[in-house]
């Protein structure tokens, strides 16, 4: 009898009928956007979380572009299903980007949906999720609190974007990043200017430093100088009053017009001296702040490169065009929107751990507990009980319909 207890602990603790009845199922479909290479749940997360009260079912081929084959999922303990029928009856569904209508139509009312849903850019789509009866959580709205760090998908993915931005700049620049002393003479290091010292900016600084460049950076937030200098870069000091980031939940805010004009005037000389400019400034739900004007671009040396990480929200550079290469007076302006997908394997692993951490909060014992008194749950929850409940999204919907 004792041997049986050791072999079947779930039966002994919870009763065979309860265990056999049904695991909570977490479903993972292939991403709706054909350009998306990431996957929401990776085999390592399946191996750690599946069994007992939780089971994973993934769509065949969903992880291929991120470097994870179906057999890896099976070995980790997941069920691999063809088509989208596996979504029916699932208690939870994890996606990277916004799901297509054919995915939403297969989800049962009450299903928990988590992903980078773009709630502030697509409020009407959030209303559709509410109408479908889904409880949707958007990683973009997870509060930047200490307890939520393991769920901060924006930060994990921004780390990848900052790294890839510098690699793209280095491969596009017709110069070396490090200083080289050779028989043919000494090569001076490249000068890199990073605008925006959030997670992506700090990673861009660190990567540029590792490649041997001379790095300087600027951010409007009051605590940015210390973070920039801790990465070995010089902080650009301008005659602009720093902003308190805590007043905006850790995110940058817009400057007043007069301060914006002083900012552009102060940055002009630093941009002109740079070989590479990496811009990372973003304001959630708003167009990206303008940091580099067309005149600044023309002031740079021929062969210089600008990589604009804010291209999808309008760009920090006036000349940026999403996913296009713009050349002006010999300066190349790049506006990639797929940087994170270029390191899809590690980006997916990091994102999947964010997903797992959020699910642990929502499903503490294999059953959804939507405790709106919890700051993380209330902060990230967009729709619940057939309503859009997030105040910012509700406000956007009201403005759009007014």
């Amino acid at each position: 009898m004792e041997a049986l207890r050791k072999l079947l602990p779930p039966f002994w603790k919870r009763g065979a009928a309860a265990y056999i009845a049904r695991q909570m199922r977490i479903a993972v479909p292939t991403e709706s956007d054909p350009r998306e290479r990431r996957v929401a749940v990776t085999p390592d997360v399946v191996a750690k979380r599946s069994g007992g009260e939780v089971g994973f079912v993934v769509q065949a081929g969903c992880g291929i572009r991120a470097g994870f084959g179906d057999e890896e999922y099976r070995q980790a303990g997941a069920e691999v299903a063809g088509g989208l029928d596996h979504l029916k009856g699932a208690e939870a569904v994890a996606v990277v980007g916004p799901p297509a209508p054919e995915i939403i139509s297969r989800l049962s009312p009450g299903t928990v949906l988590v992903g980078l849903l773009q709630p502030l850019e697509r409020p009407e789509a959030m209303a559709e999720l509410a109408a479908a009866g889904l409880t949707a959580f958007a990683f973009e709205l997870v509060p930047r609190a200490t307890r939520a760090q393991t769920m901060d998908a924006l930060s994990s993915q921004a780390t990848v974007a900052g790294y890839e931005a510098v690699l793209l700049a280095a491969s596009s620049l017709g110069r070396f990043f490090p200083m080289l002393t050779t028989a043919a003479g000494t090569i001076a290091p490249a000068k890199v200017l990073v605008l925006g010292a959030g997670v992506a900016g700090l990673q861009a600084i660190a990567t540029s430093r590792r490649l041997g460049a001379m790095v300087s950076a600027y951010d409007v937030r009051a605590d940015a100088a210390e973070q920039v200098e801790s990465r070995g870069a010089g902080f650009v000091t301008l005659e602009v009053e720093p902003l308190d980031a805590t007043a905006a939940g850790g995110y940058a805010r817009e400057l007043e017009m007069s301060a914006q004009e002083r900012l552009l005037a102060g940055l002009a000389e630093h941009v002109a001296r740079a070989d590479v400019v990496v811009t990372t400034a973003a304001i959630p739900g708003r167009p990206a702040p303008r940091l580099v004007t067309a005149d600044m671009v023309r002031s740079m040396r021929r062969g210089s490169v600008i990589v604009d990480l804010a291209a999808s929200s309008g760009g920090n550079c006036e000349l940026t065009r999403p996913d296009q290469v713009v050349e002006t007076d010999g300066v190349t302006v790049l506006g990639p929107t797929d940087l994170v997908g270029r390191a899809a394997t590690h980006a997916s692993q990091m994102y999947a751990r964010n997903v797992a951490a959020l699910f642990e909060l929502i499903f503490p014992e294999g059953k959804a507990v939507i405790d709106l008194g919890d700051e993380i749950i209330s902060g990230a929850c967009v729709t619940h009980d057939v309503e859009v409940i997030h105040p910012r999204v509700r406000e956007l919907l009201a403005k759009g319909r007014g």
Side-chain angles (χ1 to χ4, degrees):
M1 187 64 176
E2 186 62 30
L4 183 60
R5 294 182 190 179
K6 293 180 178 179
L7 286 171
L8 303 174
F11 286 83
W12 188 256
K13 291 175 66 177
R14 302 180 61 83
Y19 184 71
I20 293 173
R22 195 168 185 276
Q23 290 180 313
M24 184 195 86
R25 288 202 310 163
I26 298 175
V28 183
T30 298
E31 286 300 305
S32 300
D33 186 342
R35 299 170 300 173
E36 182 60 72
R37 300 178 183 180
R38 292 169 291 176
V39 65
V41 173
T42 52
D44 61 318
V45 165
V46 171
K48 290 178 182 177
R49 311 293 178 179
S50 64
E53 297 169 332
V54 179
F56 289 86
V57 54
V58 304
Q59 184 176 354
C62 69
I64 293 295
R65 300 190 72 194
F68 306 107
D70 292 346
E71 189 56 35
E72 289 183 73
Y73 282 102
R74 291 191 184 95
Q75 291 177 0
E79 175 188 346
V80 178
L84 294 173
D85 288 343
H86 70 294
L87 299 174
K88 296 178 180 178
E91 284 79 5
V93 174
V95 294
V96 177
E102 56 264 30
I103 290 178
I104 297 171
S105 66
R106 285 175 166 81
L107 303 183
S108 305
T111 301
V112 172
L113 173 70
V114 303
L116 291 162
L117 304 178
Q118 302 173 10
L120 303 180
E121 295 79 14
R122 305 169 67 251
E124 294 294 341
M126 300 303 101
E128 293 174 6
L129 297 180
L134 307 181
T135 296
F137 288 84
F139 280 111
E140 294 95 330
L141 300 176
V142 171
R144 286 198 160 169
T146 301
R147 191 165 66 93
Q149 286 181 347
T150 57
M151 309 166 209
D152 190 352
L154 287 185
S155 290
S156 73
Q157 303 307 284
T159 297
V160 183
Y163 172 81
E164 287 291 332
V166 173
L167 297 188
L168 177 60
S171 65
S172 303
L173 184 69
R175 307 167 59 88
F176 291 128
F177 259 47
M179 181 179 74
L180 295 180
T181 302
T182 73
T186 299
I187 304 296
K191 296 177 181 177
V192 176
L193 174 64
V194 178
L195 300 180
V199 174
L202 293 175
Q203 184 59 48
I205 291 169
T207 304
S208 298
R209 290 275 297 159
R210 292 188 188 106
L211 291 178
M214 292 179 60
V215 188
S216 57
Y218 176 76
D219 194 289
V220 297
R221 287 171 289 196
D223 61 348
E226 182 179 350
Q227 296 177 9
V228 165
E229 290 167 354
S230 72
R231 267 68 173 184
F235 187 76
V236 173
T237 302
L238 303 178
E239 293 183 5
V240 177
E241 186 69 24
L243 296 178
D244 180 5
T246 59
Y251 297 95
R253 293 181 288 143
E254 285 186 300
L255 294 171
E256 294 181 358
M257 184 61 69
S258 60
Q260 177 70 14
E261 292 172 355
R262 293 197 303 275
L263 172 64
L264 293 177
L267 286 176
E269 62 177 294
H270 297 278
V271 171
R273 291 199 298 262
D275 299 305
V276 169
V277 176
V278 178
T279 69
T280 71
I283 302 172
R286 303 295 297 274
R290 186 58 45 78
L291 300 177
V292 181
T293 66
D295 286 341
M296 290 185 196
V297 175
R298 297 186 184 99
S299 73
M300 299 176 72
R301 285 190 296 178
R302 298 186 68 86
S304 299
V305 174
I306 297 174
V307 180
D308 191 340
L309 269 65
S312 61
S313 57
N316 297 138
C317 175
E318 184 178 355
L319 300 182
T320 297
R321 299 293 179 269
D323 296 315
Q324 293 184 27
V325 178
V326 177
E327 293 193 5
T328 299
D329 293 344
V331 178
T332 302
V333 181
L334 304 171
T337 61
D338 65 341
L339 281 177
V340 178
R342 300 186 186 194
T345 299
H346 283 155
S348 297
Q349 288 178 334
M350 296 165 73
Y351 182 77
R353 291 163 192 165
N354 300 140
V355 169
L358 184 56
F359 276 150
E360 282 187 2
L361 181 65
I362 301 170
F363 298 95
E365 294 185 8
K367 184 177 180 180
V369 178
I370 310 302
D371 177 11
L372 296 178
D374 184 294
E375 66 169 335
I376 298 175
I377 288 181
S378 63
C381 190
V382 186
T383 67
H384 183 54
D385 284 343
V386 202
E387 289 187 18
V388 174
I389 65 169
H390 195 280
R392 292 181 65 188
V393 181
R394 288 172 66 95
E395 181 182 351
L396 290 170
L397 281 170
K399 288 181 179 178
R401 294 168 180 169

